[in-house]
Amino acid sequence: MYSVLFDIDGTLIDTGGAGKRAFSSAFRDLFQITEISSGVNFAGRSDRAIALELMELHGVEPSADRWHEFVKSYLSHLEKSLPECQGQVLPGVVQLLDQLQAVDHVLLGLLTGNIKGGAARKLTQYGMAERFKFGGFGDVWHDRNDIAKEAFEQSRFQARGRMQGVMVIGDTVNDVTCARSIGAFAVAVATGGASREELKAAKPDLLLEDLTDTDALLDAVGSKATV
Ligand SMILES: [Mg+2]
């Protein structure tokens, strides 16, 4: 089996800023912070790392209770911000997922900084929730390499020990780095958080403008199956 692990934001979809808006609304409701610091980078990082860094920056003690309150509030705001922000599925994504799903030896998973509930809401909004049965998420881990490890273990479990390879597809340097950390084939796609030059410098195995021209990607998975 070959496991193909997708990042979400900037790779599968562009939510039009719905995630950040829900973060801001949760911080406003819970901690009376009217504007969250612009100095915190959201791209390619785990929700947990972002939320705890924001708490520290705004003088909120980052306790377990606060984290749980945040998750609840964030998810309820996300429910509203997703339709409001009118994002989009990124070019080529639906066709690529169709092509990969048609290949018997391919498993589709997620490798994302989103918390599991956030990932589910975002993918449901864009009609993709059913495509992915497993993955690594940003509920527990701060470091994307740890999320990669979780996704890798999940892949092995799904493949029942018959795993031939793993691919990670993402839009930031962190996606490439975490792919390396689990020995995966790294595909960088310039539809999100990083420029083509930044991604190139991270030396992915494959660098794509978007997911419309994916022959090389399908080659790497060991199939050019078409639907
Ligand atoms: Mg991303």
Side-chain angles (χ1 to χ4, degrees):
M1 302 299 283
Y2 198 106
S3 177
V4 182
L5 302 170
F6 282 87
D7 167 58
I8 296 179
D9 297 292
T11 302
L12 293 173
I13 55 175
D14 171 1
T15 65
K20 210 166 183 174
R21 186 186 287 192
F23 252 81
S24 296
S25 302
F27 269 69
R28 187 196 58 219
D29 284 4
L30 295 171
F31 313 125
Q32 292 75 52
I33 290 155
T34 47
E35 202 172 329
I36 56 170
S37 167
S38 57
V40 175
N41 180 21
F42 275 62
R45 300 182 64 208
S46 86
D47 282 349
R48 187 179 176 90
I50 298 165
L52 298 189
E53 187 183 340
L54 280 170
M55 285 183 202
E56 281 182 12
L57 267 173
H58 289 287
V60 176
E61 191 204 336
S63 63
D65 282 353
R66 293 253 163 78
W67 165 249
H68 291 301
E69 285 169 25
F70 167 77
V71 168
K72 210 172 146 199
S73 177
Y74 167 72
L75 290 176
S76 100
H77 282 294
L78 193 59
E79 208 77 67
K80 286 172 269 169
S81 66
L82 279 166
E84 280 167 8
C85 287
Q86 298 186 358
Q88 57 169 335
V89 177
L90 288 164
V93 165
V94 172
Q95 195 193 351
L96 174 62
L97 293 175
D98 284 346
Q99 287 175 314
L100 288 170
Q101 276 184 321
V103 184
D104 282 345
H105 69 266
V106 167
L107 296 167
L108 288 187
L110 296 166
L111 197 177
T112 173
N114 280 278
I115 54 173
K116 205 170 185 177
R121 279 166 179 75
K122 288 181 182 180
L123 294 176
T124 299
Q125 176 71 24
Y126 293 97
M128 278 187 271
E130 297 305 313
R131 303 259 197 184
F132 304 96
K133 306 288 184 219
F134 68 97
F137 301 90
D139 301 70
V140 177
W141 312 111
H142 286 231
D143 191 322
R144 202 170 184 91
N145 291 0
D146 290 320
I147 300 176
K149 224 181 285 171
E150 181 187 335
F152 184 82
E153 288 308 322
Q154 288 287 327
S155 298
R156 283 221 305 211
F157 178 76
Q158 295 287 331
R160 289 169 177 70
R162 292 174 294 126
M163 201 154 79
Q164 300 155 311
V166 183
M167 174 183 284
V168 173
I169 307 175
D171 68 306
T172 67
V173 170
N174 281 352
D175 294 86
V176 177
T177 311
C178 82
R180 294 278 171 254
S181 76
I182 54 168
F185 187 93
V187 179
V189 58
T191 44
S195 69
R196 192 185 163 83
E197 288 66 39
E198 283 173 293
L199 293 172
K200 197 174 178 186
K203 297 192 169 65
D205 295 296
L206 192 59
L207 175 55
L208 302 171
E209 282 302 316
D210 59 31
L211 294 178
T212 54
D213 180 15
T214 51
D215 276 2
L217 189 160
L218 292 168
D219 255 358
V221 173
S223 173
K224 270 193 177 175
T226 48
V227 230

